[in-house]
């Protein structure tokens, strides 16, 4: 990742802090119902946490939503130990705030392929294949939190993800794990990142000549 802005990170943190509660419509969903994938804003999509599985070094969250009558979803794997990325004095924790692989996205079945297709439709992006990556999607993760993630109690945890961090313009998105409302939110701040985000979810890279290749 050749271009990086601390200012953009701080701006994203402030935006997530002011919007962390999400739409009132999303809040009214019950924990036992699947939320509608598309929220009130074109920039955010939501999925319900339907199951949480504690593993040796991670927590696995199965997330699903409803889109045009179909169930869509995937698995989110999160490290048990995720340190705060924001120090108490509002500065960036450069040593522990950025970790590749603290959050990973996994294909959970046909609903994952439907998720990719749904996102392509919502964002009006052409994809040659609507298939979720067979390999884990592993972003660079920045923890936009002042405290370490605590899975023992309901909480809201915000992150900034850089998908395909090795390219010049990674796919940037804000990711929220809300165990209080039992949902996750994927939020993009600029549509310029949408193509690269979907490239990462489908396991597709773009060569220097511009042609698409499978990872």
């Amino acid at each position: 990742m050749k271009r990086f802005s601390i200012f953009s990170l701080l701006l994203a943190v402030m935006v997530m802090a002011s919007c962390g509660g999400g739409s009132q419509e999303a809040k009214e969903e019950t924990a036992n119902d699947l939320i509608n994938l598309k929220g009130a804003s074109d920039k955010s999509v939501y999925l319900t946490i339907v199951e949480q599985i504690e593993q040796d070094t991670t927590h696995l969250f199965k997330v699903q939503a409803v889109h045009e009558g179909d169930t869509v979803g995937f698995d989110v794997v999160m490290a048990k130990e995720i340190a705060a990325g924001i120090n108490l004095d509002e500065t960036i924790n450069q040593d522990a705030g950025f970790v590749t692989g603290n959050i990973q996205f996994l294909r959970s079945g046909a609903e994952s392929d439907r998720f990719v297709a749904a996102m392509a439709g919502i964002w009006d992006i052409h994809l040659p294949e609507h298939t979720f990556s067979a390999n884990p999607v592993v972003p660079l993760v920045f923890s936009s939190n002042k405290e370490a993630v605590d899975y023992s109690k309901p909480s809201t945890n915000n992150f900034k993800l850089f998908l395909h961090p090795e390219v010049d313009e990674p796919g940037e998105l804000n990711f929220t794990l809300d165990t209080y409302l039992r949902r996750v939110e994927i939020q993009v701040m600029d549509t310029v990142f949408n193509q690269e985000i979907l490239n990462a979810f489908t396991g597709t890279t773009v060569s220097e000549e511009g042609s698409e290749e499978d990872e």
Side-chain angles (χ1 to χ4, degrees):
M1 181 171 55
K2 296 182 180 178
R3 289 175 30 172
F4 176 75
S5 170
I6 294 296
F7 174 77
S8 68
L9 269 180
L10 291 174
L11 179 61
V13 170
M14 289 187 290
V15 169
M16 285 189 289
S18 63
C19 302
S23 68
Q24 184 62 34
E25 178 186 50
K27 285 184 178 181
E28 292 172 353
E29 296 285 343
T30 67
N32 294 323
D33 294 332
L34 291 184
I35 199 169
N36 287 324
L37 178 68
K38 192 172 183 296
S41 168
D42 289 338
K43 292 183 177 180
S44 290
V45 295
Y46 301 89
L47 298 98
T48 300
I49 298 172
V50 298
E51 187 176 5
Q52 178 179 348
I53 303 171
E54 183 175 359
Q55 302 172 322
D56 289 342
T57 59
T58 62
H59 283 260
L60 184 146
F61 296 88
K62 301 187 74 66
V63 300
Q64 295 179 342
V66 174
H67 181 71
E68 296 182 350
D70 286 329
T71 300
V72 301
F74 48 86
D75 291 344
V76 182
V77 176
M78 300 187 60
K80 279 189 176 180
E81 304 292 336
I82 302 181
I86 306 292
N87 297 315
L88 294 180
D89 62 359
E90 306 291 341
T91 59
I92 300 296
N93 183 348
Q94 294 284 358
D95 294 331
F98 296 87
V99 179
T100 298
N102 263 351
I103 298 175
Q104 300 184 35
F105 302 101
L106 307 180
R107 185 179 186 274
S108 59
E111 68 267 18
S112 301
D113 301 335
R114 292 193 292 269
F115 168 77
V116 168
M119 294 305 300
I122 291 171
W123 288 346
D124 192 25
I125 290 178
H126 171 72
L127 289 177
E129 296 290 339
H130 290 165
T131 303
F132 200 96
S133 174
N135 298 316
V137 179
V138 184
L140 171 63
V141 178
F142 173 74
S143 176
S144 307
N145 305 289
K146 292 183 179 179
E147 297 180 353
V149 176
D150 185 353
Y151 299 99
S152 67
K153 61 183 180 180
S155 61
T156 301
N157 302 281
N158 298 309
F159 306 90
K160 189 171 184 66
L161 309 186
F162 302 87
L163 289 92
H164 279 165
E166 71 279 2
V167 303
D168 288 349
E169 295 288 348
E172 298 183 23
L173 62 85
N174 297 327
F175 178 79
T176 299
L177 174 80
D178 191 331
T179 56
Y180 176 72
L181 293 177
R182 294 200 57 79
R183 73 179 187 192
V184 300
E185 176 185 0
I186 293 174
Q187 181 188 51
V188 293
M189 302 306 295
D190 194 319
T191 57
V192 70
F193 301 120
N194 291 3
Q195 180 70 64
E196 196 59 55
I197 291 170
L198 283 184
N199 286 346
F201 276 120
T202 57
T204 301
T205 59
V206 179
S207 68
E208 294 182 357
E209 290 76 18
S211 61
E212 295 181 337
E213 301 175 344
D214 291 335
E215 291 180 343

